Amino acid sequence: LLDIQLSLCRWEGHERFVADLSDSLKNCMDAQEPIGVDIFNLHALPLSPQFTFEVAKYKTGMLSRSVVEKKAALHADFSIERTAHGKNGRVRLAYLLPYDRHTSMNLLLRDVVERHDRDRFEVVGYSLSAPDHSKSNRAFREAFDEFTYLGDRPAEVAARRIRIDNVDLLIDTMGHTVVNGLEILAYQPAPISAHYLG
């Protein structure tokens, strides 16, 4: 409902809607219930950054707690000292992407990926969508040393694939957007996770 109202620029009763939404979010957090709202959309509302941060932190905390038992099955214990897993001792750097289709984010990211020092980094892409076989998308995929489609696999299966691939550094490009990899990240399939761009 929030997404539709913002998309349609429906402002009648907007202040009341925002107040009701804020109260609903507070009640969910107090009752330890799941939050379905897209956190990214909260930035478009007259809510304090602190409140939006608290909601985002709560929602990701719920995700993290939901995967605790399953995460142990990944055997993702990175407490021991280890060397980089890429070919010739390179760091395996992976980007978790919403899709490979032609977008402004992918235009920018392609340039970043192409400029990575290939003597030091092996660069992998993971897409959460089905392949798009257009010419521009092929050029985006070819910027990576490896590109894998995770598609609609369950988060546990996707995380296991990343773990098996021995990724050293996993960069999430989506954050709190509609298509996101937050549940995959909650499994901590790589020793270091970071966020960039999205």
Side-chain angles (χ1 to χ4, degrees):
L1 178 60
L2 169 60
D3 190 45
I4 291 168
Q5 285 200 330
L6 291 172
S7 297
L8 294 176
C9 299
R10 222 147 296 122
W11 309 122
E12 307 88 11
H14 186 66
E15 291 82 6
R16 179 75 257 153
F17 177 80
V18 172
D20 289 345
L21 177 64
S22 179
D23 290 342
S24 174
L25 291 170
K26 288 174 186 169
N27 290 338
C28 282
M29 291 189 290
D30 289 343
Q32 295 291 297
E33 294 174 353
I35 289 176
V37 70
D38 180 355
I39 302 297
F40 198 72
N41 282 335
L42 295 182
H43 294 294
L45 301 177
L47 298 168
S48 75
Q50 182 60 35
F51 180 69
T52 302
F53 175 67
E54 289 301 322
V55 176
K57 194 164 65 168
Y58 173 83
K59 189 169 183 177
T60 51
M62 291 284 281
L63 274 173
S64 293
R65 287 189 291 278
S66 73
V67 303
V68 166
E69 290 180 16
K70 293 179 184 176
K71 189 167 71 169
L74 284 181
H75 305 294
D77 179 11
F78 302 114
S79 58
I80 56 171
E81 189 99 4
R82 63 185 212 138
T83 57
H85 282 102
K87 295 180 184 81
N88 302 319
R90 293 183 293 170
V91 172
R92 277 182 66 83
L93 169 65
Y95 287 90
L96 190 57
L97 309 153
Y99 31 69
D100 69 337
R101 67 176 183 258
H102 190 71
T103 63
S104 56
M105 185 182 90
N106 288 355
L107 282 171
L108 171 64
L109 196 57
R110 176 181 163 194
D111 193 48
V112 171
V113 169
E114 287 176 341
R115 291 171 187 266
H116 282 305
D117 180 352
R118 290 314 207 272
D119 290 333
R120 298 173 61 206
F121 296 97
E122 190 175 357
V123 188
V124 180
Y126 293 103
S127 174
L128 298 184
S129 67
D132 180 326
H133 297 291
S134 68
K135 186 176 180 180
S136 63
N137 296 356
R138 192 171 345 125
F140 176 68
R141 290 190 305 272
E142 288 173 356
F144 295 85
D145 297 310
E146 293 176 25
F147 201 92
T148 300
Y149 289 96
L150 299 175
D152 57 359
R153 297 179 190 182
E156 179 182 2
V157 175
R160 188 175 298 280
R161 171 60 194 267
I162 294 168
R163 176 71 186 104
I164 289 169
D165 286 350
N166 280 323
V167 167
D168 297 300
L169 171 57
L170 179 63
I171 299 178
D172 165 50
T173 64
M174 297 164 281
H176 288 274
T177 54
V178 174
V179 179
N180 68 70
L182 294 173
E183 192 174 357
I184 295 170
L185 293 165
Y187 282 98
Q188 296 177 301
I192 300 173
S193 296
H195 175 79
Y196 170 66
L197 198 58

